[in-house]
């Protein structure tokens, strides 16, 4: 479990998804699957925390009326994401046992939903980092999640409207402590 993040929301989301996995019996069935989910979770936590920090602390000044520069934020963050996204692609592309398009095989686990939510946020913030053949594993993962029979109707309806979790604009409205 991750201990620190900028606003506490990322850790809350990760813990909530893991808890829901235990409650609904959507946890990896093998040790290898559990380790794979844990590694991906750690990488996604790092990327999401970095994006939140970039938006709320570096690119937004609540004391100025118009201070958020989305181009600067996206350009600066895309440099970091381009370095880290190949790791995520490699983790997703690893063949699971039993084989399947999702993280631990053909049946979704909690980490599939967590990965989809985080990657969707990242893709909305810097879509140019997700284009190209180098990101085929992530693209195929998105397709596999959106084609799940239980979710297909939702994705085709209300799931395609608006942002999924965190919109790409500042949410912090006051300066707090040393990190402001």
């Amino acid at each position: 479990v991750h201990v620190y993040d900028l606003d506490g929301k990322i850790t809350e989301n990760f813990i909530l998804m893991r808890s829901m996995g235990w409650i609904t019996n959507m946890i990896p069935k093998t040790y290898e699957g559990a380790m794979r989910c844990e590694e991906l979770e750690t990488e996604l936590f790092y990327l999401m925390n970095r994006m939140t920090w970039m938006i709320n602390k570096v690119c937004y000044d609540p004391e100025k009326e118009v201070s958020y520069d989305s181009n600067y934020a996206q350009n600066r963050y895309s440099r970091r994401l381009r370095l880290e996204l190949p790791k995520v692609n490699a983790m997703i592309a690893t063949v699971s046992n039993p084989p399947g398009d999702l993280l631990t095989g053909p049946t979704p686990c909690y980490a599939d939903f967590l990965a989809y939510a985080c990657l969707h946020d990242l893709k909305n913030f810097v879509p140019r980092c997700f284009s190209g053949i180098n990101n085929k594993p992530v693209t195929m993962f998105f397709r596999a999640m959106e084609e799940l029979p239980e979710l297909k109707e939702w994705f085709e309806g209300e799931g395609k409207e608006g942002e999924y979790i965190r919109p790409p604009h500042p949410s912090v409205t006051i300066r707090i402590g040393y990190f402001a």
Side-chain angles (χ1 to χ4, degrees), residues 6-153:
L6 178 70
D7 59 1
K9 300 298 182 196
I10 298 168
T11 301
E12 288 174 13
N13 290 339
F14 279 46
I15 291 171
L16 179 64
M17 290 301 291
R18 192 178 275 191
S19 299
M20 290 301 296
W22 281 101
I23 291 168
T24 59
N25 197 27
M26 294 182 75
I27 55 173
K29 307 298 184 221
T30 65
Y31 175 77
E32 292 80 18
M35 293 312 303
R36 185 175 180 194
C37 291
E38 182 68 29
E39 289 171 9
L40 184 61
E41 212 176 298
T42 301
E43 188 66 29
L44 292 173
F45 175 85
Y46 169 73
L47 290 171
M48 292 299 293
N49 195 40
R50 188 71 163 184
M51 180 182 73
T52 305
W53 177 80
M54 178 66 62
I55 292 170
N56 294 331
K57 297 296 182 184
V58 174
C59 301
Y60 178 64
D61 183 0
E63 294 176 0
K64 294 181 182 175
E65 192 172 313
V66 180
S67 65
Y68 180 68
D69 183 357
S70 64
N71 286 332
Y72 174 72
Q74 290 168 342
N75 289 334
R76 186 163 169 189
Y77 185 72
S78 69
R79 285 180 267 165
R80 170 71 62 183
L81 187 58
R82 286 177 203 261
L83 295 173
E84 302 298 326
L85 203 52
K87 294 179 194 174
V88 174
N89 275 299
M91 289 179 200
I92 291 175
T94 304
V95 176
S96 58
N97 188 15
D101 294 327
L102 303 174
L103 294 177
T104 59
T107 307
C109 70
Y110 79 92
D112 290 307
F113 296 99
L114 180 64
Y116 184 89
C118 292
L119 291 169
H120 187 278
D121 268 359
L122 294 169
K123 186 176 180 181
N124 279 340
F125 186 55
V126 277
R128 66 180 172 262
C129 291
F130 286 84
S131 61
I133 193 70
N134 294 337
N135 292 308
K136 186 175 180 184
V138 170
T139 303
M140 298 307 290
F141 175 74
F142 277 141
R143 186 173 297 145
M145 286 296 289
E146 292 169 4
E147 292 295 320
L148 286 173
E150 299 85 1
L151 298 176
K152 189 171 183 173
E153 185 178 319

Side-chain angles (χ1 to χ4, degrees), residues 161-174:
E161 296 174 10
E163 301 297 328
Y164 187 62
I165 290 185
R166 195 186 292 265
H169 56 76
S171 63
V172 173
T173 56
I174 59 171

